[in-house]
Amino acid sequence: MNPATVPLLEVVRHEPFNAESPSGALQHPLTPLANVYVRTNFGVPELSGPHAIRVHGAVHREMTVSLDTLRAMPQHTVTTTMECAGNDRLGMRPLPVGEPWHHGALSTVSWTGVSLVDVLELVGVLPSAVEVLLTAADAGPRDDAEGTVRFARSLPLADTQRRDTLLALEMNGAPLTPAHGAPVRLAVPGWYGMASVKWVTHVELLQTPYEGYFQRQRYVYDEAGGITPVDRMRVKSIITSPAAGARVDRTVIVTGWAWSGFGSIRRVEVSVDGGDDWQPAVLGKPVSAYAWTPWSVSIEVVRNGRIVLRSRATDASGVTQPDAIVWNRLGYGNNGIRQVVVEVESR
């Protein structure tokens, strides 16, 4: 596809600004910076004065960490596939509440910054700590909450001890933009995007699990069995070529990506017209352990006309994408098998 014909972003909502990566941009192993999807709950906050992060709570010594301090610390780069928890919400029936995301709340980005564990080592974590709470600068009203709600999410302490969980200062080799969390944001490999808190102002070590709004009322699986906070990305695959509506030969080369927050991709399969004759795809090498895995397969089609292509992935934990969408009230974690309809023409 000619890059000049690809829109920078596909806007879902103008205020607060939310926009998807266009399908053409998702053909690249690394999503171009201008095409990385944007998710904001309250809009981009207005920040003034020198930015710093307060680190406190269950620590031996509280401190405030400036941007200059972060820049002077060892820098680490991690490439991750990040998906909004509400991606593919439009595929659910009945339609859940929330932003009407189609397929493009998804990007793969190379983040550079300081390992969060290095910052925690500066303050000394007490043995009683169980979670790390990241609080952002953005805040605003919510229809189902009183007063002003500030964006905040917690992570289990173990996930903050990985070198690859970053306080990021750059993305794709350039400084963070305001819409993507400048001057500093979290980047959490393997988790849905809500965990990668933008515009970080506080890092607090907690001795009990966090019960805040975005941990217990939003970004949760609200199902018959109860409420569970959204965490790691479910195993999923997409077809990037051929595009929906494309005209193809009877020999169809199908390509795409697969990813999971629960381990590497072990298998991708493709079927035609809803049948159970799943054909194995050849897996390529991802650019990092946390990035989507490329795959491809050649399919021989025996007739002309409209056909339906489907792909499904299986990860290292043994879980395979479900054929049926698992509905929940807020529309999170849709990893149901998607279909692409193309037109076959013999030549």
Side-chain angles (χ1 to χ4, degrees), residues 37-328:
Y37 85 93
V38 176
R39 173 66 171 116
T40 60
N41 284 278
F42 305 110
V44 178
E46 295 184 7
L47 303 176
S48 60
H51 191 81
I53 299 174
R54 184 181 175 219
V55 187
H56 59 109
V59 298
H60 288 287
R61 49 196 172 277
E62 297 186 0
M63 67 183 300
T64 298
V65 180
S66 67
L67 285 179
D68 287 341
T69 297
L70 290 176
R71 293 186 182 115
M73 295 176 69
Q75 302 293 295
H76 186 47
T77 298
V78 178
T79 300
T80 69
T81 292
M82 184 183 296
E83 182 181 19
C84 178
N87 195 30
D88 282 304
R89 182 177 281 126
L90 284 178
M92 291 185 166
R93 294 292 183 274
L95 184 65
V97 299
E99 296 295 329
W101 295 109
H102 198 236
H103 304 316
L106 170 72
S107 299
T108 295
V109 173
S110 183
W111 308 98
T112 298
V114 176
S115 296
L116 178 58
V117 67
D118 288 347
V119 174
L120 298 182
E121 287 174 356
L122 294 177
V123 297
V125 178
L126 294 177
S128 57
V130 296
E131 289 187 353
V132 179
L133 175 65
L134 284 294
T135 302
D138 59 323
R142 302 291 291 190
D143 292 340
D144 54 352
E146 295 183 1
T148 298
V149 177
R150 187 164 297 280
F151 191 87
R153 281 281 303 195
S154 70
L155 287 170
L157 185 62
D159 284 275
T160 69
Q161 303 301 296
R162 299 183 297 168
R163 290 274 167 202
D164 293 333
T165 299
L166 300 183
L167 286 169
L169 303 171
E170 297 181 359
M171 57 188 298
N172 290 358
L176 292 175
T177 65
H180 289 295
V184 58
R185 68 171 293 165
L186 198 65
V188 187
W191 284 58
Y192 282 111
M194 79 285 141
S196 294
V197 177
K198 300 191 284 188
W199 312 294
V200 175
T201 60
H202 290 73
V203 176
E204 183 179 1
L205 280 295
L206 303 180
Q207 299 180 79
T208 57
Y210 180 56
E211 299 288 337
Y213 178 88
F214 286 103
Q215 198 88 12
R216 292 296 177 184
Q217 288 180 248
R218 282 293 185 273
Y219 295 115
V220 296
Y221 295 119
D222 187 348
E223 301 167 307
I227 292 177
T228 307
V230 174
D231 49 25
R232 296 181 180 276
M233 296 185 296
R234 293 171 171 176
V235 62
K236 195 169 183 178
S237 67
I238 59 172
I239 294 171
T240 57
S241 181
R247 296 182 180 275
V248 300
D249 294 331
R250 286 196 179 183
T251 299
V252 187
I253 306 299
V254 186
T255 63
W257 304 106
W259 65 95
S260 173
F262 292 91
S264 60
I265 297 299
R266 295 297 174 85
R267 184 170 67 252
V268 173
E269 302 159 292
V270 174
S271 80
V272 178
D273 286 344
D276 291 326
D277 183 20
W278 291 94
Q279 300 186 42
V282 176
L283 301 184
K285 184 177 181 180
V287 296
S288 88
Y290 307 113
W292 48 23
T293 295
W295 57 265
S296 64
V297 61
S298 177
I299 301 290
E300 296 294 333
V301 183
V302 298
R303 62 174 179 81
N304 291 350
R306 182 177 295 175
I307 65 168
V308 179
L309 300 172
R310 299 186 301 153
S311 67
R312 68 181 184 188
T314 301
D315 65 19
S317 73
V319 174
T320 299
Q321 267 183 274
D323 188 59
I325 294 171
V326 180
W327 190 90
N328 57 90

